[in-house]
Amino acid sequence: MTVRNIVLVGFMGTGKSTVGKKLAERLGWSFCDSDVVLEEVQQTSIPELFRDHGEAHFRALETETLARILDSEGQVVATGGGAVLAESNRICMLQHGFVVALNATAETIIQRVSTDTNRPLLQGNLEERVHTLMEQRKHAYDFAHTSIDTTDLTEDEITDRIIQQAVRH
């Protein structure tokens, strides 16, 4: 496989972190979650960054973090759900990796994130927020090399599909 990195993008709750860990293990690569790295570097949580500095500041930090991560290779990178909103991030991902968009139905996403309190964009009516954000971002992941619907697939099935696609790339 000639791919330098595999970059997982997609809406929150589509399986980026879960599948990313399994994929990295299978490939013998390292796994990196850009949100976790950002929190470690900033020594604070994403909800606190949003609350204290706003979304624009968080997005700038996200861009810096992603560029630093993708400077290496041999890793599976799970990005934050909104990382694709900046064109510079999309370009960086495409230049430094094989980009896989994971998606799922709104109902599946709501079920998966309903107990997660670490998602600042989902404050308020969860179902309404998921539907609104999904509508706003429905084309945000179209730039990816490939797309996989994770709704009815197991982690192993998703991992297999990503490897098959990456090998062909």
Side-chain angles (χ1 to χ4, degrees):
M1 191 163 61
T2 58
V3 171
R4 290 180 55 191
N5 295 299
I6 295 177
V7 182
L8 303 178
V9 300
F11 198 78
M12 61 187 89
T14 55
K16 297 180 302 287
S17 296
T18 306
V19 170
K21 290 172 188 169
K22 184 171 279 286
L23 182 59
E25 184 181 306
R26 183 97 60 87
L27 294 172
W29 286 7
S30 59
F31 171 75
C32 184
D33 183 317
S34 63
D35 283 349
V36 171
V37 172
L38 191 152
E39 287 181 329
E40 288 172 355
V41 169
Q42 296 301 312
Q43 297 182 331
T44 189
S45 71
I46 289 171
E48 288 172 348
L49 281 169
F50 263 76
R51 185 189 68 230
D52 298 343
H53 303 285
E55 185 174 357
H57 179 75
F58 166 76
R59 295 294 176 204
L61 294 173
E62 184 176 53
T63 295
E64 289 173 26
T65 303
L66 191 59
R68 192 169 44 252
I69 291 167
L70 289 174
D71 205 29
S72 299
E73 56 184 61
Q75 57 192 348
V76 175
V77 180
T79 64
V84 299
L85 300 177
E87 183 179 8
S88 60
N89 290 351
R90 296 189 301 269
I91 291 167
C92 183
M93 290 179 219
L94 288 168
Q95 287 176 338
H96 297 279
F98 179 68
V99 183
V100 180
L102 300 181
N103 53 62
T105 64
E107 293 70 32
T108 300
I109 289 168
I110 291 164
Q111 179 185 357
R112 291 177 182 170
V113 302
S114 62
T115 58
D116 191 340
T117 58
N118 201 34
R119 299 185 187 270
L121 290 178
L122 293 184
Q123 300 311 307
N125 181 321
L126 176 64
E127 289 185 31
E128 181 182 312
R129 291 295 296 148
V130 166
H131 285 284
T132 299
L133 285 169
M134 285 184 79
E135 179 61 27
Q136 290 171 352
R137 296 181 183 176
K138 68 180 171 186
H139 296 294
Y141 309 104
D142 292 352
F143 76 99
H145 293 106
T146 192
S147 178
I148 297 171
D149 186 337
T150 65
T151 302
D152 296 318
L153 299 176
T154 66
E155 291 172 25
D156 285 322
E157 289 170 330
I158 300 163
T159 301
D160 290 342
R161 288 187 188 192
I162 293 171
I163 292 170
Q164 290 166 4
Q165 299 273 346
V167 167
R168 282 188 240 146
H169 180 76

